[in-house]
């Protein structure tokens, strides 16, 4: 009888060890294990990164990276030694504290608060980052992320973008279908008594959905698409989010189509109806957006 050995599938991945220096002082940093740091490590392994920083607010040094990293911003109160990403492309090193929306990158672990003040409390400093790409470690391969595109669309503009995303990412496509379909009279925004006018003006309106979605908690990434109706998401999007339990650490990527309005507060308001914490900023598309623009945006999210 043949016997088969157990095949362990592993992949070579880079450990996150980015060396850091502020002016001439070497600092030890405990880096976060997130997409932003992975991307930063990759950049720093290609060639050392020099960030010219300026003092701001009496509590931080901030400077441009020169490119954007994937962000996962959340309201954060920083402590001395914290290193964060601000606005996707600015690196901030704290010697004091501030509360703002940041993506955490790491924490300086080998300096006291007083030492940090001495190093950082000056008009300008230079942060240098370098990473070794020649130290591969063997780590179990991460299971592939499962993704879903859940969308609502009446006149098919959002549907087209949803299909581009689904095709490009291999995501499951799920249409949020209203139990009572929207007629052209229903979506007449010039009529104050049309169905959409009434629903959008009623904070408690939750139009019914025709079918339920199975096992939504299997998805790690959920692209959530809708048209803008008077600057907001249609109320059926609230019906959807309030009727499902999304995996707690899932990433939600809102997207919308509109005549001209930005995604603005529509996604921020929707977020309050979802249990998942990781909402990305989201993106608005015009009805005529081509597939390349959509796929470039997906690449920039670095979610694969
Ligand atoms: C009831 C209603 C309200 C709308 N309100 C806005 C708006 O506030 N801002 C905007 O730019 N477009 C607005 N639009 C245009 C839609 O956002 C746009 O046509 C969208 O692409 C439609 O998506 P769909 O084809 O997926 O249904 C509105 C359309 C309707 C029907």
């Amino acid at each position: 009888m043949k016997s088969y050995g157990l095949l362990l599938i592993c992949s070579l991945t880079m450990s996150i060890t980015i060396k850091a220096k502020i002016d001439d002082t070497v600092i030890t940093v405990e880096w976060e294990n997130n997409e932003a740091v992975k991307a930063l490590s990759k950049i720093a392994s290609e060639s050392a990164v020099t960030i010219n920083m300026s003092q701001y607010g009496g509590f931080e040094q901030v400077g441009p990276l020169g490119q954007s990293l994937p962000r996962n911003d959340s309201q954060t109160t920083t402590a001395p030694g914290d290193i964060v990403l601000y606005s996707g492309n600015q690196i901030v090193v704290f010697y004091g504290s501030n509360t703002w929306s940041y993506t955490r990158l790491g924490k300086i672990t080998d300096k006291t608060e007083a030492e940090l003040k001495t190093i950082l409390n000056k008009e300008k400093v230079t942060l240098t980052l370098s990473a070794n790409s020649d130290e591969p470690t063997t780590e179990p391969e991460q299971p592939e992320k499962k993704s879903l595109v859940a969308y609502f669309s009446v006149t098919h503009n959002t549907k087209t973008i949803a299909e581009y995303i689904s095709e490009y990412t291999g995501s499951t496509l799920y249409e949020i279908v209203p139990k009572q379909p929207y007629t052209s009279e229903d979506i007449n925004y010039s009529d104050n008594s049309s169905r959409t006018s009434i629903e959008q003006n009623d904070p408690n309106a939750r139009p019914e959905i025709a079918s339920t979605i199975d096992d939504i908690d299997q998805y790690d990434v959920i692209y959530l698409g809708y048209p803008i109706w008077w600057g907001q998401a249609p109320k059926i999007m609230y019906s959807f989010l309030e009727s499902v339990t999304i995996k707690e650490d899932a990433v939600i990527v809102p997207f919308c189509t509109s005549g001209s309005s930005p995604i603005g507060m529509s996604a921020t308001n929707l977020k309050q109806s979802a249990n998942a914490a990781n909402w990305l900023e989201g993106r608005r598309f015009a009805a005529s957006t081509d597939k390349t623009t959509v796929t470039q945006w997906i690449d920039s999210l670095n979610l694969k």
Side-chain angles (χ1 to χ4, degrees):
M1 227 178 58
K2 276 185 187 171
S3 80
Y4 294 94
L6 180 67
L7 180 68
L8 278 179
I9 302 171
C10 297
S11 72
L12 287 180
T13 57
M14 304 303 152
S15 57
I16 300 181
T17 47
I18 308 172
K19 292 178 193 154
K21 234 171 53 171
I22 296 172
D23 294 330
D24 289 320
T25 309
V26 174
I27 51 170
T28 304
V29 179
E30 194 180 296
W31 294 101
E32 295 283 324
N33 186 7
N34 62 20
E35 293 307 312
V37 173
K38 282 178 199 161
L40 183 61
S41 170
K42 189 164 181 290
I43 295 165
S45 71
E46 279 154 15
S47 66
V49 177
T50 304
I51 302 162
N52 296 317
M53 305 185 122
S54 312
Q55 204 256 24
Y56 176 75
F59 46 76
E60 66 173 40
Q61 286 283 343
V62 56
L65 177 62
Q67 54 190 300
S68 292
L69 299 177
R71 53 204 277 202
N72 183 14
D73 288 354
S74 66
Q75 196 72 359
T76 306
T77 298
T78 59
D82 282 347
I83 303 178
V84 301
L85 179 69
Y86 161 63
S87 192
N89 58 7
Q90 308 275 321
I91 307 291
V92 189
V93 185
F94 285 91
Y95 59 90
S97 171
N98 191 32
T99 301
W100 202 259
S101 190
Y102 300 119
T103 298
R104 281 193 183 277
L105 297 177
K107 185 169 189 56
I108 301 169
T109 54
D110 65 341
K111 301 281 178 280
T112 63
E113 200 174 326
E115 287 170 331
L116 286 167
K117 228 176 181 171
T118 309
I119 299 165
L120 292 165
N121 189 8
K122 43 183 88 158
E123 205 188 329
K124 289 181 186 311
V125 299
T126 303
L127 174 67
T128 315
L129 303 172
S130 61
N132 256 347
S133 59
D134 55 1
E135 287 172 9
T137 57
T138 313
E139 284 176 12
E141 192 169 274
Q142 293 293 315
E144 203 173 302
K145 286 183 183 162
K146 285 197 90 172
S147 54
L148 171 76
V149 181
Y151 72 96
F152 168 66
S153 180
V154 176
T155 49
H156 292 185
N157 297 335
T158 312
K159 182 185 168 94
T160 305
I161 307 289
E163 285 170 351
Y164 289 158
I165 298 173
S166 157
E167 272 168 41
Y168 188 64
T169 58
S171 304
T172 306
L173 192 61
Y174 171 75
E175 181 174 2
I176 300 167
V177 179
K179 204 165 199 173
Q180 184 191 343
Y182 286 86
T183 64
S184 47
E185 289 80 44
D186 287 343
I187 61 168
N188 182 358
Y189 47 77
S190 311
D191 177 1
N192 285 341
S193 58
S194 72
R195 176 178 169 197
T196 48
S197 297
I198 294 167
E199 279 177 6
Q200 291 301 104
N201 277 323
D202 177 1
N204 298 319
R206 294 293 183 269
E208 272 190 79
I209 300 171
S211 63
T212 53
I213 177 166
D214 291 331
D215 303 332
I216 196 166
D217 59 356
Q218 68 183 297
Y219 296 105
D220 305 292
V221 178
I222 299 174
Y223 299 90
L224 197 64
Y226 53 87
I228 292 285
W229 284 357
W230 289 286
Q232 294 296 328
K235 287 290 160 62
I236 198 165
M237 297 306 294
Y238 290 81
S239 312
F240 173 70
L241 286 172
E242 286 167 7
S243 68
V244 294
T245 305
I246 292 164
K247 197 152 108 173
E248 242 177 60
D249 58 352
V251 175
I252 299 194
V253 190
F255 67 96
C256 67
T257 64
S258 74
S260 60
S261 297
I263 194 161
M265 288 300 288
S266 72
T268 320
N269 290 339
L270 259 189
K271 181 179 174 180
Q272 285 157 19
S273 291
N275 59 313
N278 305 324
W279 276 66
L280 300 195
E281 200 179 356
R283 168 95 184 236
R284 174 256 169 193
F285 295 100
S288 55
T289 303
D290 62 12
K291 191 172 177 184
T292 310
T293 305
V294 177
T295 57
Q296 280 171 350
W297 167 65
I298 290 167
D299 286 342
S300 77
L301 300 172
N302 244 322
L303 286 172
K304 280 180 198 156

